[in-house]
Amino acid sequence: STLPILSCVALRFVDGAVEAVSTNLDQYHRLTLPTTSATGTKGAGACVALGLFTALLARCNGDVATIEITDGKLTLTSAGRVASLMTLPIAEFPEMGVRPTEWVTIDGTVLARAIEGVAFAVSDDSTRYVLNGIHFTDDALVVATDGKRLARMSYAGHVASVPGPLDGIILPTQALAALVDIFGRGGAMQVGGDTEEGGITFRTLSGDEEYYTRKIEGRYPNFRQVIPSFNAPVTVKVARAAMLHALAWARLYRNKLGTVKLHTEGSHLVITATSPEVGDAVEHIDLLTPVKGNFVCTLDLDYLTDMVDRDGGEAFQIVSEPDLSTGVVLSPLLVREDSEDFLGLLMPMRTM
């Protein structure tokens, strides 16, 4: 940021503890630091360079650190090490704003897994800003798409009802990694909406950690209308580990288009990558269930790898409706999971 204060972390004395707060004005992260003792006037504190401060703490190697703030300077002492940092006034640090008054409780671990399960499909095209995040539906789905692929995952069954603050929102990309990190530590989390500033706040039940993010304003596309309903589907089921091995093999022969060809051959799925400059890489994978009909398609190698290389079950399915005479897949195909309610959509490519 061009504002020096935004490259700092604010350290503030609160009720016998020390709070650390960082922000980029769109997201705020507040954490109560583990302390054995803390003395100071409530609300007093200072702002120090975030990168250097965290690097110094990391070099303490788990030893107890003492922090003292006096006369515009922070002094850190730990196991014979002493470091000082110049500070900025705590009054210059921007406040978090209006906090929610009503909260609902969710399973943080489940929501983290759902967010992580679809985040790969988020668009990075700034001209389509509503796609630059994950959409939460009113029936407990999280959805991401970049217009070329789509990922949808349910967390229904893990909540008594869809938390009101999450209903219909779009969380921006910048917030996803932090939320997955916070939620992934396990346990219940609370969610509160902010109608005045268009944001949403997540916090631990203890209140020791809190994360606020602005939402993306806008209407998310009707993703349901692009998910096909097949009349005569062909389902290819393979082991995830075998598929990832084959895709890594194919990547060595990656062509300029970045494509890979899949087709069925007896009881195998054949993965082929062709490079005009090098040659062909071919691998046969055992099908876990018999396939009725032919199946031939060309897919983006990166998109397919992202879809497969995720925390799912040991096997997955590719479902499509090929042309009856040629077996060529020209319409969208689906990637399904056995063990969870995940659905991915990929558009085939027309050239190899």
Side-chain angles (χ1 to χ4, degrees):
S1 170
T2 56
L3 296 176
I5 197 71
L6 297 185
S7 63
C8 293
V9 57
L11 301 175
R12 182 183 286 115
F13 291 101
V14 179
D15 299 327
V18 177
E19 284 187 349
V21 184
S22 61
T23 183
N24 61 3
L25 297 183
D26 289 324
Q27 286 84 33
Y28 283 79
H29 190 183
R30 179 185 63 81
L31 177 67
T32 300
L33 300 178
T35 57
T36 55
S37 64
T39 57
T41 304
K42 183 176 180 179
C47 302
V48 296
L50 176 60
L52 181 56
F53 181 64
T54 54
L56 289 172
L57 288 178
R59 296 301 189 278
C60 291
N61 300 321
D63 295 325
V64 174
T66 301
I67 298 172
E68 182 179 0
I69 301 173
T70 55
D71 300 327
K73 183 173 71 173
L74 179 147
T75 302
L76 186 150
T77 306
S78 176
R81 310 176 189 92
V82 180
S84 63
L85 294 85
M86 301 305 295
T87 67
L88 293 175
I90 192 71
E92 295 184 9
F93 198 82
E95 292 295 327
M96 186 170 173
V98 180
R99 282 180 168 82
T101 56
E102 297 183 359
W103 301 84
V104 296
T105 302
I106 60 173
D107 186 326
T109 304
V110 171
L111 196 56
R113 190 162 182 260
I115 292 173
E116 201 167 24
V118 303
F120 67 86
V122 172
S123 174
D124 59 3
D125 183 355
S126 60
T127 64
R128 308 180 70 184
Y129 65 93
V130 294
L131 301 184
N132 296 160
I134 286 180
H135 175 53
F136 288 73
T137 72
D138 59 3
D139 54 349
L141 297 175
V142 287
V143 183
T145 182
D146 59 6
K148 302 171 185 176
R149 54 184 170 172
L150 181 145
R152 184 202 75 187
M153 193 166 174
S154 171
Y155 61 98
H158 302 281
V159 290
S161 60
V162 178
L166 294 177
D167 185 358
I169 71 167
I170 308 171
L171 285 183
T173 303
Q174 297 92 324
L176 300 182
L179 289 176
V180 167
D181 177 60
I182 296 169
F183 291 160
R185 298 172 198 164
M189 300 286 295
Q190 291 183 316
V191 186
D194 173 13
T195 56
E196 292 186 13
E197 297 188 9
I200 188 165
T201 303
F202 302 85
R203 72 178 183 185
T204 57
L205 291 182
S206 65
D208 289 343
E209 189 165 14
E210 192 171 57
Y211 189 88
Y212 166 90
T213 179
R214 293 186 186 277
K215 298 177 287 189
I216 295 177
E217 299 297 334
R219 185 174 181 178
Y220 205 77
N222 182 3
F223 67 93
R224 301 179 198 271
Q225 68 181 6
V226 303
I227 299 176
S229 297
F230 299 126
N231 295 317
V234 172
T235 300
V236 175
K237 185 176 181 179
V238 295
R240 187 183 305 276
M243 187 66 168
L244 288 173
H245 184 277
L247 294 177
W249 176 260
R251 188 171 296 277
L252 298 175
Y253 282 71
R254 182 187 180 94
N255 56 49
K256 292 181 180 179
L257 295 177
T259 57
V260 62
K261 180 180 178 182
L262 280 64
H263 75 276
T264 52
E265 186 178 286
S267 60
H268 295 92
L269 177 66
V270 183
I271 293 89
T272 305
T274 300
S275 170
E277 297 82 11
V278 181
D280 299 333
V282 181
E283 184 157 348
H284 292 68
I285 299 176
D286 291 336
L287 295 173
L288 301 182
T289 56
V291 174
K292 296 181 180 179
N294 296 320
F295 173 91
V296 182
C297 70
T298 301
L299 299 171
D300 183 286
L301 177 57
D302 290 337
Y303 287 0
L304 179 58
T305 302
D306 288 343
M307 196 73 71
V308 177
D309 190 12
R310 45 182 306 281
D311 184 18
E314 293 184 356
F316 69 96
Q317 302 171 357
I318 299 176
V319 186
S320 64
E321 192 167 37
D323 181 272
L324 292 177
S325 60
T326 64
V328 175
V329 178
L330 298 177
S331 59
L333 52 82
L334 303 178
V335 176
R336 295 186 184 275
E337 304 281 355
D338 284 341
S339 58
E340 58 182 308
D341 191 10
F342 171 86
L343 180 70
L345 182 148
L346 283 173
M347 293 297 298
M349 302 180 72
R350 295 178 181 271
T351 59
M352 181 61 183

